[in-house]
Amino acid sequence: MPPVVVADGPVLEVTEKDLAALPIPVHAEGDGGPYIDAGVVIARDPETGVRNASIQRFMAAGPDTLHINIDAGRHLGLYLDKAARLGRSLPITVNIGVGPGLHFAAAAPAEAAGADEDELGIASAFHGAPLRLVPGTFSDVELVAEAMYALECEIVPGVLAEEGPFAEVTGYYAKRVPRPVVTVRAVHRRAAPVFHTILSGAEVWNSVGLLGEANILDLVGRQVPGVRDVYLPHGGCGFYHAVVQMEQKRAGWAKQAIMAAFAAFPPLKMVTVVDEDVDPRDPSDIEWAMATRLDPDHGIVRIPRAFDHGLNPGFPDYLGTKVGFDATRPAPRTPEYDRVRYRAVDLDRFDILRP
């Protein structure tokens, strides 16, 4: 459902000179400075004009300066590379407080929304109505009409400055290294805005993890029969470990599900596959399956030197080993792997005598 461009919106009620009016917080004790970490970036492909939405982290470094981290493989990085080849800067807008629909769309995995797809259309579908945009005053990149804040910005390719440390989804601090500089050209806001931010870790599941689960369930379910559910547990940062529940009726299907899950969501470091009688959201149930059904000789899949998320310290320079665990019962099924069951008892039907 494509967005619509309107003449005016609440985000244009006030225009500020710089970032000083924004309540940008320092999140963790070791952060390198105040951070915008839930702003939705809108950019246009310099060659095709297709819009992209993404969530990046920005360290405030001055009244009109931000330093941005762009993970490898993100569409925004692709756009910046194209701008460099064309000898141009890359205009963007950073929209803060946009509501769940656009927040989810911006967190959609690249595997679910290609570089040639306008992710703002995904936001419209979530909202159930076309997303409203207003024209930018600095470039042809629009602002979200109902956002709390919207920054009009410009990235000049090749201009770098130190960014970090920052408390990331891993529970560790991302390193301080040179990253692109963002110049803020205009700051727009509502008259009484609310600043949206997130704490990295469990809160990241509310966006990336939730969308990652949906994408894995969709893509793996198409390729492997019997897939029922997918969960990205908080212990895996809602990002690096997927538990896939399936009804395996043929030997080898669990391994197919492991490989398909890695392809569906590249940040995954681990995939654990369990049977339909195991609750993928219960850590004790998963541990029980691994302790009683995992065959270490044949049920562990290792993929060395695989590409993964650069923020994970287990993958320096984006390379490391991924591992999958087949914690399903052997196929074809035999009775010795049937779980013990107890009949449900309604205690209200009994008179219980107490001394």
Side-chain angles (χ1 to χ4, degrees):
M1 186 186 301
V4 296
V5 179
V6 297
D8 199 5
V11 75
L12 297 178
E13 289 174 348
V14 179
T15 297
E16 304 280 5
K17 294 181 179 179
D18 54 40
L19 298 171
L22 274 69
I24 307 174
V26 176
H27 295 77
E29 293 178 350
D31 284 355
Y35 267 87
I36 299 170
D37 70 351
V40 172
V41 178
I42 296 177
R44 284 185 176 273
D45 186 314
E47 294 178 340
T48 67
V50 171
R51 283 177 297 227
N52 175 260
S54 63
I55 298 175
Q56 316 288 342
R57 70 171 193 249
F58 296 84
M59 185 177 78
D64 64 351
T65 305
L66 300 166
H67 300 166
I68 181 177
N69 173 69
I70 306 174
D71 291 335
R74 301 294 294 273
H75 294 158
L76 184 62
L78 174 66
Y79 290 5
L80 188 59
D81 290 342
K82 287 185 177 183
R85 290 197 300 270
L86 295 171
R88 305 178 190 169
S89 63
L90 181 70
I92 63 172
T93 62
V94 182
N95 302 269
I96 303 168
V98 296
L102 181 52
H103 187 80
F104 289 157
E111 294 70 34
D116 59 346
E117 295 182 60
D118 188 341
E119 290 171 341
L120 300 187
I122 300 175
S124 299
F126 272 122
H127 284 297
L131 179 71
R132 295 189 343 127
L133 306 172
V134 292
T137 62
F138 169 73
S139 73
D140 64 347
V141 181
E142 296 90 352
L143 321 170
V144 177
E146 267 72 41
M148 295 289 173
Y149 297 87
L151 317 179
E152 295 192 77
C153 307
E154 178 183 24
I155 308 176
V156 177
V159 178
L160 307 176
E162 296 289 313
E163 184 270 336
F166 179 66
E168 263 296 350
V169 60
T170 56
Y172 300 104
Y173 288 100
K175 296 179 181 178
R176 185 176 179 87
V177 298
R179 292 196 169 96
V181 173
V182 177
T183 300
V184 180
R185 299 298 186 185
V187 177
H188 308 284
R189 65 173 176 86
R190 293 190 184 206
V194 176
F195 189 89
H196 178 210
T197 192
I198 59 177
L199 292 177
S200 290
E203 286 195 347
V204 175
W205 181 89
N206 296 332
S207 52
V208 178
L210 181 64
L211 272 293
E213 286 178 0
N215 199 52
I216 296 168
L217 183 61
D218 177 48
L219 295 183
V220 178
R222 292 189 209 175
Q223 299 177 55
V224 185
V227 173
R228 292 190 172 187
D229 199 1
V230 173
Y231 179 54
L232 300 184
H234 292 316
C237 308
F239 212 63
Y240 300 123
H241 181 202
V243 182
V244 179
Q245 183 197 58
M246 68 178 300
E247 183 179 2
Q248 184 178 219
K249 295 184 178 180
R250 190 181 183 95
W253 280 3
K255 286 190 175 65
Q256 291 292 109
I258 289 170
M259 294 184 286
F262 283 132
F265 195 61
L268 290 175
K269 177 180 181 178
M270 300 191 304
V271 175
T272 302
V273 182
V274 297
D275 291 293
E276 75 278 5
D277 61 351
V278 175
D279 183 354
R281 289 167 176 76
D282 183 345
S284 294
D285 225 21
I286 296 167
E287 185 178 4
W288 173 85
M290 296 190 72
T292 65
R293 292 179 174 175
L294 172 66
D295 176 0
D297 288 334
H298 304 101
I300 299 177
V301 178
R302 295 178 70 254
I303 307 174
R305 293 193 60 77
F307 177 84
D308 204 284
H309 197 227
L311 293 176
N312 190 332
F315 288 81
D317 297 324
Y318 292 89
L319 285 177
T321 299
K322 300 190 177 197
V323 60
F325 302 99
D326 175 2
T328 60
R329 59 190 293 171
R333 298 190 172 192
T334 52
E336 61 264 32
Y337 281 94
D338 290 345
R339 294 191 75 162
V340 171
R341 296 183 181 276
Y342 295 93
R343 181 177 297 177
V345 176
D346 182 3
L347 295 180
D348 291 335
R349 297 177 54 201
F350 296 88
D351 293 327
I352 300 176
L353 299 178
R354 294 180 174 85

